[in-house]
Coordinates of all heavy atoms in Angstrom, one line a residue:
Chain I
E554 N -17.6 11.4 54.2 CA -18.0 12.8 54.4 C -17.2 13.8 53.6 O -17.5 15.0 53.6 CB -17.8 13.1 56.0 CG -19.0 12.6 56.7 CD -18.5 11.9 58.0 OE1 -17.4 12.3 58.5 OE2 -19.1 10.9 58.4
F557 N -19.0 15.9 48.5 CA -20.1 16.8 48.3 C -20.3 17.0 46.8 O -19.3 17.2 46.1 CB -19.8 18.2 48.9 CG -19.8 18.1 50.4 CD1 -18.6 18.3 51.1 CD2 -21.0 17.9 51.1 CE1 -18.6 18.3 52.5 CE2 -21.0 17.9 52.5 CZ -19.8 18.1 53.2
P560 N -23.1 22.1 44.0 CA -24.4 22.6 43.5 C -24.4 23.5 42.2 O -25.3 23.6 41.6 CB -25.0 23.3 44.7 CG -23.9 23.7 45.5 CD -22.8 22.7 45.3
R582 N -5.7 15.2 46.9 CA -6.3 14.9 48.1 C -6.5 13.4 48.4 O -6.4 13.0 49.5 CB -7.7 15.6 48.2 CG -7.6 17.1 48.5 CD -9.0 17.6 48.9 NE -9.9 17.6 47.8 CZ -11.1 17.0 47.9 NH1 -11.5 16.4 49.0 NH2 -11.9 16.9 46.9
A640 N 0.6 23.2 43.8 CA -0.6 23.0 44.5 C -1.8 23.3 43.6 O -1.7 24.2 42.8 CB -0.7 23.9 45.7
P641 N -2.9 22.6 43.7 CA -4.0 22.9 42.9 C -4.7 24.2 43.3 O -4.7 24.6 44.5 CB -5.0 21.7 43.3 CG -4.6 21.3 44.6 CD -3.1 21.5 44.7
Q646 N -12.1 32.6 41.4 CA -11.1 33.7 41.5 C -11.4 34.6 42.6 O -12.5 34.8 43.0 CB -11.1 34.5 40.2 CG -10.4 33.9 39.1 CD -9.6 34.9 38.4 OE1 -10.1 36.0 38.0 NE2 -8.3 34.7 38.2
D647 N -10.3 35.1 43.2 CA -10.5 36.0 44.4 C -11.1 37.3 43.8 O -10.4 38.0 43.0 CB -9.2 36.2 45.1 CG -9.4 36.7 46.5 OD1 -10.3 37.5 46.6 OD2 -8.7 36.3 47.4
M648 N -12.3 37.6 44.2 CA -13.0 38.8 43.6 C -12.9 39.9 44.6 O -13.5 41.0 44.4 CB -14.4 38.5 43.3 CG -14.6 37.4 42.3 SD -14.1 37.9 40.7 CE -15.6 38.8 40.2
R653 N -8.8 47.2 50.1 CA -9.8 48.0 50.7 C -10.4 47.2 51.9 O -10.7 47.7 52.9 CB -11.0 48.2 49.6 CG -11.9 49.4 50.0 CD -13.2 49.2 49.3 NE -14.0 48.1 49.9 CZ -14.8 48.2 51.0 NH1 -14.9 49.3 51.7 NH2 -15.4 47.1 51.4
A654 N -10.6 45.9 51.7 CA -11.3 45.1 52.7 C -10.5 45.0 54.0 O -11.2 45.0 55.1 CB -11.6 43.7 52.1
G656 N -9.2 46.4 57.0 CA -9.3 47.6 57.8 C -8.1 48.1 58.5 O -7.7 49.3 58.5
R657 N -7.3 47.1 59.0 CA -6.1 47.4 59.7 C -5.0 46.4 59.3 O -5.3 45.3 59.2 CB -6.3 47.4 61.2 CG -7.1 48.5 61.8 CD -7.0 48.5 63.3 NE -5.6 48.8 63.7 CZ -5.2 48.7 65.0 NH1 -6.1 48.3 65.9 NH2 -4.0 49.0 65.3
R658 N -3.8 47.0 59.0 CA -2.7 46.1 58.6 C -1.8 45.9 59.8 O -1.5 46.7 60.7 CB -1.8 46.8 57.6 CG -2.6 46.9 56.4 CD -1.9 47.3 55.1 NE -2.9 47.2 54.1 CZ -3.2 46.1 53.4 NH1 -2.6 45.0 53.6 NH2 -4.2 46.1 52.5
F659 N -1.3 44.7 59.9 CA -0.4 44.3 61.0 C 0.9 43.7 60.4 O 1.8 43.5 61.2 CB -1.1 43.3 61.9 CG -2.4 43.7 62.5 CD1 -3.6 43.6 62.0 CD2 -2.3 44.5 63.7 CE1 -4.8 44.1 62.5 CE2 -3.4 45.1 64.3 CZ -4.6 44.8 63.7
T660 N 1.0 43.5 59.1 CA 2.3 43.1 58.6 C 3.2 44.3 58.5 O 2.8 45.5 58.7 CB 2.1 42.5 57.2 OG1 1.2 43.4 56.4 CG2 1.4 41.2 57.3
Q669 N 13.9 29.3 60.8 CA 13.3 28.2 61.5 C 14.3 27.0 61.7 O 14.2 26.3 62.6 CB 12.1 27.6 60.8 CG 10.9 28.5 60.8 CD 10.0 28.3 62.0 OE1 10.3 27.3 62.8 NE2 9.0 29.1 62.3
S672 N 18.9 25.3 63.9 CA 19.8 24.3 64.5 C 20.6 23.5 63.5 O 21.5 22.8 63.8 CB 18.9 23.3 65.3 OG 18.0 22.7 64.5
Q682 N 16.4 30.7 71.6 CA 15.9 29.4 71.3 C 16.5 28.4 72.4 O 17.3 28.7 73.2 CB 16.4 28.9 69.9 CG 15.7 29.7 68.8 CD 14.2 29.3 68.6 OE1 13.7 28.5 69.4 NE2 13.5 29.8 67.6
H690 N 14.5 17.3 79.3 CA 13.3 16.7 78.6 C 12.6 15.6 79.4 O 11.4 15.5 79.4 CB 13.9 16.1 77.3 CG 12.9 15.7 76.3 ND1 13.1 15.1 75.2 CD2 11.6 16.1 76.3 CE1 12.0 14.9 74.5 NE2 11.0 15.5 75.1
L701 N -1.4 14.9 82.6 CA -2.3 14.2 81.6 C -3.1 13.1 82.4 O -3.9 12.4 81.8 CB -1.5 13.6 80.5 CG -1.1 14.5 79.4 CD1 0.0 13.7 78.6 CD2 -2.2 14.9 78.5
Q707 N -9.8 17.5 84.8 CA -10.5 18.8 84.8 C -9.5 19.9 84.3 O -9.9 20.7 83.5 CB -11.0 19.1 86.2 CG -12.3 18.5 86.6 CD -13.5 19.3 86.3 OE1 -13.5 20.2 85.5 NE2 -14.6 19.0 87.0
T710 N -9.0 19.6 80.5 CA -10.1 19.7 79.5 C -11.0 20.9 79.7 O -11.7 21.3 78.8 CB -11.0 18.5 79.5 OG1 -11.5 18.3 80.8 CG2 -10.2 17.2 79.2
D712 N -13.0 24.4 80.1 CA -13.0 25.8 79.8 C -12.9 26.6 81.0 O -13.9 26.7 81.8 CB -14.3 26.1 78.9 CG -14.2 27.4 78.3 OD1 -13.5 28.3 78.8 OD2 -15.0 27.7 77.3
Y713 N -11.8 27.2 81.2 CA -11.6 28.0 82.4 C -12.3 29.4 82.3 O -12.1 30.3 83.2 CB -10.1 28.3 82.7 CG -9.3 27.3 83.3 CD1 -8.2 26.7 82.6 CD2 -9.6 26.8 84.6 CE1 -7.4 25.7 83.2 CE2 -8.8 25.8 85.2 CZ -7.7 25.3 84.5 OH -7.0 24.3 85.0
Y714 N -12.9 29.7 81.2 CA -13.4 31.0 80.9 C -12.2 32.0 81.0 O -11.3 31.9 80.4 CB -14.6 31.4 81.7 CG -15.7 30.3 81.6 CD1 -16.0 29.5 82.6 CD2 -16.3 30.1 80.4 CE1 -16.9 28.4 82.5 CE2 -17.3 29.0 80.2 CZ -17.6 28.3 81.3 OH -18.5 27.3 81.1
R727 N 4.0 32.4 95.6 CA 4.7 32.0 96.8 C 6.2 31.9 96.5 O 7.0 32.0 97.4 CB 4.2 30.7 97.3 CG 2.9 30.8 98.2 CD 2.8 29.6 99.1 NE 4.0 29.4 100.0 CZ 4.2 28.3 100.6 NH1 3.5 27.3 100.6 NH2 5.3 28.2 101.5
P731 N 8.6 36.2 95.2 CA 9.4 36.6 96.3 C 10.9 36.6 95.9 O 11.7 37.4 96.5 CB 9.1 35.4 97.3 CG 7.7 35.0 97.0 CD 7.6 35.1 95.5
R732 N 11.3 35.8 95.0 CA 12.7 35.9 94.6 C 13.1 37.1 94.0 O 14.3 37.5 93.8 CB 13.0 34.7 93.6 CG 13.0 33.4 94.3 CD 13.5 32.3 93.5 NE 13.4 31.0 94.1 CZ 13.9 30.0 93.7 NH1 14.7 29.9 92.7 NH2 13.8 28.8 94.4
G734 N 11.6 39.8 95.1 CA 11.3 40.9 96.1 C 9.8 41.4 95.9 O 9.5 42.4 96.5
Q738 N -1.0 39.2 95.5 CA -2.1 38.3 95.6 C -2.5 37.6 94.3 O -2.2 38.2 93.3 CB -3.3 39.2 96.2 CG -3.0 40.0 97.3 CD -2.6 39.1 98.5 OE1 -3.3 38.2 98.8 NE2 -1.5 39.5 99.2
Q749 N 5.5 38.3 75.4 CA 5.0 39.0 74.2 C 3.5 39.3 74.5 O 3.1 40.5 74.3 CB 5.1 38.1 73.0 CG 4.4 38.6 71.8 CD 5.3 39.4 70.8 OE1 6.5 39.1 70.9 NE2 4.7 40.3 70.1
N750 N 2.7 38.3 74.9 CA 1.3 38.5 75.2 C 1.1 39.4 76.4 O 0.2 40.3 76.4 CB 0.7 37.1 75.4 CG -0.8 37.1 75.5 OD1 -1.4 36.5 76.5 ND2 -1.6 37.8 74.7
V758 N -4.6 47.9 77.2 CA -5.3 48.4 78.4 C -4.9 49.8 78.7 O -5.8 50.7 79.0 CB -5.1 47.5 79.6 CG1 -5.8 48.2 80.9 CG2 -5.8 46.1 79.4
R764 N -2.5 58.8 74.4 CA -1.6 58.6 75.5 C -0.2 58.6 75.0 O 0.1 58.4 73.8 CB -1.8 57.2 76.1 CG -3.2 57.1 76.8 CD -3.3 57.7 78.1 NE -4.6 58.0 78.6 CZ -5.2 57.2 79.5 NH1 -4.6 56.3 80.2 NH2 -6.5 57.6 79.9
Y773 N 13.5 45.9 72.4 CA 12.9 44.6 71.8 C 12.0 45.1 70.6 O 11.1 45.8 70.8 CB 12.1 43.9 72.9 CG 11.4 42.7 72.6 CD1 12.0 41.6 71.9 CD2 10.1 42.6 73.2 CE1 11.2 40.5 71.7 CE2 9.4 41.4 73.0 CZ 10.0 40.4 72.2 OH 9.2 39.3 72.1
L864 N 10.5 47.8 94.7 CA 10.6 49.1 95.3 C 9.4 50.0 95.2 O 9.4 51.0 95.7 CB 11.8 49.9 94.6 CG 13.2 49.2 94.6 CD1 14.1 50.0 93.7 CD2 13.7 49.1 96.0
T866 N 6.0 51.3 95.9 CA 5.1 51.3 97.0 C 3.7 51.9 96.5 O 2.8 52.0 97.3 CB 5.5 52.1 98.2 OG1 6.0 53.4 97.8 CG2 6.7 51.4 98.9
D867 N 3.7 52.4 95.3 CA 2.5 53.1 94.8 C 1.6 52.3 93.9 O 0.5 52.7 93.6 CB 3.0 54.3 93.8 CG 3.6 55.4 94.5 OD1 3.9 55.3 95.7 OD2 3.9 56.4 93.8
G883 N 8.7 27.6 73.0 CA 7.4 27.0 72.4 C 6.3 26.8 73.5 O 5.2 26.6 73.2
R885 N 5.1 29.1 75.5 CA 4.2 30.3 75.5 C 3.6 30.5 76.9 O 2.4 30.6 76.9 CB 3.2 30.2 74.4 CG 3.6 29.8 73.0 CD 4.6 30.7 72.3 NE 4.5 32.1 72.4 CZ 5.4 32.9 72.9 NH1 6.6 32.5 73.2 NH2 5.2 34.2 72.9
S892 N -1.7 46.0 89.9 CA -2.8 46.2 90.7 C -4.1 45.5 90.2 O -4.2 45.3 89.0 CB -3.1 47.7 90.7 OG -2.1 48.4 91.5
E898 N -8.9 44.4 84.0 CA -9.1 44.7 82.7 C -8.3 43.8 81.7 O -8.8 43.4 80.6 CB -8.7 46.2 82.4 CG -9.6 47.2 83.1 CD -11.1 47.1 82.7 OE1 -11.4 46.8 81.6 OE2 -11.9 47.3 83.7
S905 N -11.4 37.8 76.0 CA -12.0 38.2 74.6 C -11.1 37.7 73.5 O -11.6 37.2 72.5 CB -12.3 39.7 74.6 OG -13.0 40.0 73.5
V906 N -9.8 37.8 73.7 CA -8.9 37.5 72.6 C -8.7 35.9 72.5 O -8.6 35.5 71.4 CB -7.5 38.1 72.8 CG1 -6.5 37.7 71.9 CG2 -7.7 39.7 72.8
L907 N -8.6 35.3 73.6 CA -8.2 33.8 73.6 C -8.8 33.0 74.7 O -8.4 31.8 74.9 CB -6.7 33.7 73.4 CG -5.9 34.3 74.5 CD1 -5.7 33.3 75.7 CD2 -4.5 34.6 74.0
R908 N -9.6 33.6 75.6 CA -10.0 33.0 76.8 C -8.9 32.7 77.8 O -8.6 33.5 78.7 CB -10.7 31.6 76.6 CG -12.0 31.8 75.8 CD -13.2 31.2 76.5 NE -14.4 31.5 75.8 CZ -15.3 30.6 75.5 NH1 -15.2 29.4 75.9 NH2 -16.4 31.0 74.9
Chain J
S1076 N 14.5 29.0 99.4 CA 15.7 29.4 98.6 C 16.2 30.6 99.1 O 15.5 31.6 99.5 CB 15.1 29.5 97.2 OG 16.1 30.3 96.5
E1078 N 17.4 32.9 97.4 CA 17.1 34.0 96.5 C 15.8 34.7 96.8 O 15.4 35.7 96.3 CB 17.0 33.5 95.0 CG 18.4 33.3 94.4 CD 18.4 31.9 93.7 OE1 17.4 31.5 93.2 OE2 19.5 31.4 93.6
F1081 N 15.5 39.5 100.3 CA 16.1 40.8 99.8 C 16.0 41.7 101.0 O 14.9 41.7 101.6 CB 15.3 41.3 98.6 CG 15.4 40.7 97.4 CD1 14.4 39.9 96.8 CD2 16.6 40.8 96.7 CE1 14.6 39.2 95.7 CE2 16.8 40.1 95.5 CZ 15.8 39.3 95.0
P1084 N 15.4 48.2 100.8 CA 16.3 49.4 100.8 C 15.6 50.5 101.5 O 16.3 51.5 102.0 CB 16.6 49.7 99.3 CG 15.5 48.9 98.6 CD 15.0 47.8 99.4
R1106 N 4.3 33.0 103.6 CA 5.1 32.6 102.5 C 6.0 31.4 102.9 O 6.3 30.5 102.2 CB 6.0 33.7 102.0 CG 5.2 34.7 101.0 CD 6.2 35.6 100.3 NE 6.9 36.4 101.2 CZ 8.2 36.6 101.2 NH1 9.0 35.9 100.4 NH2 8.8 37.4 102.1
A1164 N -5.5 37.3 103.5 CA -4.3 37.5 102.8 C -3.5 38.7 103.2 O -4.2 39.8 103.5 CB -4.5 37.6 101.3
P1165 N -2.2 38.6 103.3 CA -1.4 39.8 103.8 C -1.5 40.9 102.7 O -1.6 40.7 101.5 CB 0.0 39.2 103.9 CG 0.0 38.1 102.9 CD -1.4 37.5 102.9
Q1170 N 0.6 51.7 99.5 CA -0.8 51.9 99.1 C -0.9 52.2 97.7 O 0.1 52.8 97.1 CB -1.4 53.2 99.9 CG -1.9 52.8 101.2 CD -3.2 53.5 101.5 OE1 -3.3 54.7 101.3 NE2 -4.2 52.7 101.9
D1171 N -2.0 51.7 97.0 CA -2.1 52.0 95.6 C -2.3 53.4 95.4 O -3.4 54.0 95.9 CB -3.3 51.2 95.1 CG -3.1 51.0 93.6 OD1 -2.7 51.9 92.9 OD2 -3.4 49.9 93.1
M1172 N -1.4 54.2 94.8 CA -1.5 55.7 94.6 C -1.9 56.0 93.2 O -2.0 57.2 92.9 CB -0.1 56.3 94.8 CG 0.5 56.0 96.2 SD -0.4 56.8 97.5 CE 0.3 58.5 97.3
R1177 N -8.4 56.8 85.7 CA -7.8 57.6 84.6 C -6.7 56.7 83.9 O -6.6 56.8 82.6 CB -7.0 58.8 85.3 CG -6.8 59.9 84.3 CD -5.6 60.8 84.8 NE -4.3 60.1 84.7 CZ -3.6 60.1 83.6 NH1 -4.0 60.6 82.5 NH2 -2.5 59.4 83.6
A1178 N -5.9 55.9 84.6 CA -4.8 55.3 84.0 C -5.2 54.2 82.9 O -4.5 54.0 82.0 CB -3.9 54.6 85.1
G1180 N -6.7 53.1 79.9 CA -7.1 53.8 78.7 C -8.3 53.2 78.0 O -9.1 53.9 77.4
R1181 N -8.4 51.9 78.1 CA -9.5 51.2 77.5 C -10.0 50.1 78.4 O -9.2 49.4 79.0 CB -9.1 50.5 76.1 CG -8.9 51.5 75.0 CD -8.8 50.8 73.6 NE -10.1 50.1 73.4 CZ -10.2 49.2 72.3 NH1 -9.2 49.0 71.5 NH2 -11.4 48.7 72.1
R1182 N -11.3 50.0 78.5 CA -12.0 49.0 79.4 C -12.4 47.8 78.6 O -13.0 48.0 77.5 CB -13.1 49.6 80.2 CG -12.7 50.7 81.0 CD -13.7 51.1 82.1 NE -12.9 52.0 82.9 CZ -12.2 51.7 84.0 NH1 -12.2 50.4 84.4 NH2 -11.5 52.6 84.6
F1183 N -12.2 46.7 79.2 CA -12.7 45.4 78.5 C -13.6 44.6 79.4 O -14.2 43.6 79.0 CB -11.5 44.6 78.1 CG -10.5 45.3 77.1 CD1 -9.5 46.0 77.5 CD2 -10.8 45.3 75.8 CE1 -8.7 46.7 76.7 CE2 -10.0 45.9 74.9 CZ -8.9 46.7 75.3
T1184 N -13.8 45.0 80.6 CA -14.7 44.4 81.5 C -16.1 44.9 81.2 O -16.3 45.8 80.5 CB -14.4 44.7 83.0 OG1 -14.3 46.1 83.1 CG2 -13.1 44.0 83.5
Q1193 N -17.6 27.4 87.5 CA -16.5 26.6 87.3 C -16.8 25.2 87.8 O -16.2 24.2 87.3 CB -15.2 27.1 88.0 CG -14.6 28.4 87.4 CD -13.6 28.1 86.3 OE1 -13.3 27.0 86.1 NE2 -13.2 29.1 85.6
S1196 N -19.6 20.6 87.2 CA -19.7 19.1 87.3 C -20.2 18.6 88.7 O -20.5 17.5 88.8 CB -18.4 18.5 86.9 OG -17.3 18.9 87.8
Q1206 N -19.0 22.2 77.6 CA -18.0 21.6 78.5 C -17.8 20.2 78.1 O -18.6 19.6 77.3 CB -18.3 21.7 80.0 CG -18.2 23.2 80.5 CD -16.8 23.6 80.7 OE1 -15.8 23.0 80.3 NE2 -16.7 24.8 81.2
H1214 N -9.7 9.7 76.8 CA -8.6 10.2 77.5 C -7.3 9.3 77.3 O -6.2 9.9 77.1 CB -8.9 10.1 79.0 CG -8.0 10.8 80.0 ND1 -8.0 10.7 81.3 CD2 -7.0 11.7 79.7 CE1 -7.0 11.4 81.8 NE2 -6.5 12.1 80.9
L1225 N 5.5 14.3 73.0 CA 6.6 14.7 73.9 C 7.9 13.9 73.7 O 8.8 14.1 74.4 CB 6.1 14.3 75.4 CG 5.1 15.3 76.0 CD1 4.4 14.6 77.2 CD2 5.7 16.6 76.4
Q1231 N 11.8 19.4 68.7 CA 11.7 20.7 68.0 C 10.3 21.2 68.0 O 10.0 22.4 68.4 CB 12.2 20.6 66.6 CG 13.6 20.5 66.4 CD 14.3 21.8 66.1 OE1 13.7 22.8 66.4 NE2 15.4 21.8 65.5
T1234 N 9.5 22.5 71.5 CA 10.2 23.6 72.3 C 10.4 24.8 71.5 O 10.7 25.9 72.0 CB 11.5 23.1 72.7 OG1 12.3 22.6 71.6 CG2 11.4 22.0 73.8
D1236 N 10.5 28.1 69.2 CA 9.7 29.3 68.9 C 9.4 29.4 67.5 O 10.3 29.5 66.6 CB 10.6 30.6 69.3 CG 9.8 31.9 69.2 OD1 8.7 31.9 68.5 OD2 10.2 32.8 69.9
Y1237 N 8.1 29.1 67.1 CA 7.8 29.1 65.7 C 7.7 30.5 65.1 O 7.3 30.7 63.9 CB 6.4 28.5 65.5 CG 6.3 27.0 65.6 CD1 5.6 26.4 66.6 CD2 6.9 26.2 64.6 CE1 5.4 25.0 66.7 CE2 6.8 24.8 64.7 CZ 6.1 24.2 65.7 OH 5.9 22.9 65.7
Y1238 N 7.9 31.6 65.9 CA 7.6 32.9 65.5 C 6.2 33.0 65.0 O 5.3 32.7 65.8 CB 8.7 33.4 64.4 CG 10.1 33.2 64.9 CD1 10.9 32.3 64.3 CD2 10.6 33.9 66.0 CE1 12.2 32.1 64.8 CE2 11.8 33.7 66.4 CZ 12.7 32.8 65.8 OH 13.9 32.6 66.3
R1251 N -6.0 18.6 54.2 CA -6.3 17.4 53.4 C -7.6 16.6 53.9 O -8.2 16.0 53.2 CB -5.1 16.4 53.5 CG -4.1 16.7 52.5 CD -3.2 15.4 52.2 NE -4.0 14.3 51.7 CZ -3.6 13.1 51.7 NH1 -2.4 12.7 52.1 NH2 -4.4 12.2 51.1
P1255 N -11.9 19.3 53.4 CA -12.7 18.6 52.4 C -14.0 18.1 52.8 O -15.0 18.1 52.1 CB -11.7 17.5 51.9 CG -10.4 18.0 52.2 CD -10.5 18.8 53.5
R1256 N -14.1 17.7 54.1 CA -15.4 17.2 54.6 C -16.5 18.3 54.6 O -17.6 18.1 54.8 CB -15.3 16.7 56.0 CG -14.4 15.4 56.0 CD -14.5 14.7 57.3 NE -13.6 13.6 57.3 CZ -13.7 12.7 58.3 NH1 -14.5 12.8 59.3 NH2 -12.9 11.6 58.1
G1258 N -16.4 20.5 52.2 CA -16.4 20.9 50.9 C -15.5 22.0 50.5 O -15.6 22.7 49.5
Q1262 N -5.2 26.0 50.6 CA -3.8 25.9 50.6 C -3.2 26.2 52.0 O -3.9 26.9 52.7 CB -3.1 26.9 49.6 CG -3.6 26.8 48.2 CD -3.3 25.4 47.6 OE1 -2.3 24.9 47.8 NE2 -4.4 24.8 47.0
Q1273 N -12.9 31.4 69.4 CA -12.9 32.8 70.0 C -11.8 33.6 69.5 O -12.0 34.8 69.0 CB -12.8 32.6 71.6 CG -12.5 33.9 72.3 CD -13.8 34.4 72.9 OE1 -14.8 33.7 73.1 NE2 -13.9 35.8 73.0
N1274 N -10.6 33.1 69.5 CA -9.4 33.8 69.0 C -9.6 34.0 67.4 O -9.2 35.1 66.9 CB -8.2 33.0 69.3 CG -6.9 33.7 68.9 OD1 -6.0 33.0 68.4 ND2 -6.7 34.9 69.4
V1282 N -8.8 42.6 62.1 CA -8.2 42.9 60.8 C -9.2 43.6 59.8 O -8.9 44.5 59.1 CB -7.7 41.6 60.1 CG1 -7.3 41.8 58.6 CG2 -6.6 41.0 60.8
R1288 N -16.3 51.1 59.7 CA -16.9 49.9 59.1 C -18.2 49.5 59.7 O -18.4 49.7 60.9 CB -15.9 48.7 59.1 CG -14.5 49.0 58.4 CD -14.6 48.8 56.8 NE -13.5 49.4 56.2 CZ -12.5 48.8 55.6 NH1 -12.5 47.5 55.7 NH2 -11.6 49.5 54.9
Y1297 N -24.0 34.4 69.6 CA -22.9 34.1 70.6 C -22.5 35.4 71.3 O -21.9 36.3 70.7 CB -21.8 33.5 69.8 CG -20.5 33.1 70.5 CD1 -20.6 32.4 71.7 CD2 -19.3 33.4 70.0 CE1 -19.4 31.9 72.4 CE2 -18.1 32.9 70.6 CZ -18.2 32.2 71.8 OH -17.1 31.8 72.4
L1388 N -19.4 27.1 48.8 CA -20.1 27.7 47.6 C -19.5 29.0 47.2 O -19.9 29.6 46.2 CB -21.5 28.0 48.0 CG -22.4 26.9 48.6 CD1 -23.7 27.4 49.1 CD2 -22.6 25.8 47.5
T1390 N -17.1 31.3 45.5 CA -16.1 31.3 44.4 C -15.3 32.6 44.3 O -14.4 32.8 43.5 CB -16.8 31.0 43.0 OG1 -17.9 32.1 42.9 CG2 -17.4 29.7 42.9
D1391 N -15.7 33.6 45.2 CA -15.1 34.9 45.1 C -14.0 35.1 46.2 O -13.4 36.2 46.2 CB -16.2 36.0 45.5 CG -17.3 36.1 44.5 OD1 -17.3 35.4 43.5 OD2 -18.1 37.0 44.7
G1407 N -10.6 23.1 76.8 CA -9.4 23.6 77.4 C -8.2 23.5 76.4 O -7.2 24.0 76.7
S1416 N -8.7 34.0 52.2 CA -7.7 34.4 51.2 C -6.3 34.7 51.8 O -6.3 35.1 52.9 CB -8.2 35.6 50.4 OG -9.3 35.2 49.6
E1422 N -2.4 39.0 57.2 CA -2.6 40.1 58.2 C -3.0 39.4 59.5 O -2.5 39.9 60.6 CB -3.7 41.1 57.8 CG -3.3 41.9 56.5 CD -2.0 42.7 56.8 OE1 -1.8 43.2 57.8 OE2 -1.3 42.9 55.7
S1429 N 1.9 39.2 66.9 CA 2.1 40.4 67.8 C 1.5 40.1 69.2 O 2.0 40.5 70.3 CB 1.6 41.6 67.2 OG 1.9 42.7 67.9
V1430 N 0.3 39.5 69.1 CA -0.5 39.2 70.3 C 0.1 38.1 71.1 O 0.1 38.2 72.4 CB -2.0 38.9 70.0 CG1 -2.8 38.5 71.2 CG2 -2.6 40.1 69.3
L1431 N 0.5 37.0 70.5 CA 0.9 35.8 71.3 C 1.9 34.9 70.6 O 2.1 33.8 71.0 CB -0.4 35.0 71.7 CG -1.3 34.5 70.5 CD1 -0.8 33.1 70.0 CD2 -2.7 34.3 71.0
R1432 N 2.4 35.3 69.4 CA 3.2 34.6 68.6 C 2.5 33.4 68.0 O 2.0 33.4 66.8 CB 4.4 34.0 69.3 CG 5.4 35.2 69.7 CD 6.8 34.9 69.2 NE 7.6 36.0 69.6 CZ 8.8 36.1 70.1 NH1 9.4 34.9 70.3 NH2 9.4 37.1 70.4

Side-chain angles (χ1 to χ4, degrees):
Chain I
E554 284 136 27
F557 289 111
R582 282 195 297 126
Q646 276 223 310
D647 202 320
M648 303 288 282
R653 199 204 69 84
R657 288 194 63 188
R658 295 195 173 271
F659 299 94
T660 48
Q669 288 273 353
S672 59
Q682 289 288 6
H690 193 192
L701 284 164
Q707 283 264 24
T710 57
D712 188 339
Y713 281 120
Y714 307 111
R727 276 204 61 195
R732 293 192 182 189
Q738 304 300 316
Q749 173 94 26
N750 186 228
V758 170
R764 300 277 163 110
Y773 177 47
L864 303 173
T866 53
D867 289 7
R885 312 300 319 125
S892 290
E898 296 301 325
S905 189
V906 173
L907 58 85
R908 296 237 175 133
Chain J
S1076 161
E1078 283 136 28
F1081 289 110
R1106 282 195 297 126
Q1170 277 224 308
D1171 201 321
M1172 303 289 282
R1177 200 203 69 84
R1181 288 193 62 188
R1182 297 196 172 270
F1183 299 93
T1184 49
Q1193 288 274 352
S1196 60
Q1206 289 288 6
H1214 194 193
L1225 284 163
Q1231 283 264 24
T1234 57
D1236 190 338
Y1237 282 118
Y1238 308 111
R1251 275 204 62 195
R1256 293 192 182 190
Q1262 304 300 315
Q1273 173 92 28
N1274 186 227
V1282 170
R1288 300 274 163 111
Y1297 177 47
L1388 304 173
T1390 53
D1391 289 7
S1416 290
E1422 294 302 325
S1429 189
V1430 173
L1431 59 84
R1432 294 233 179 136

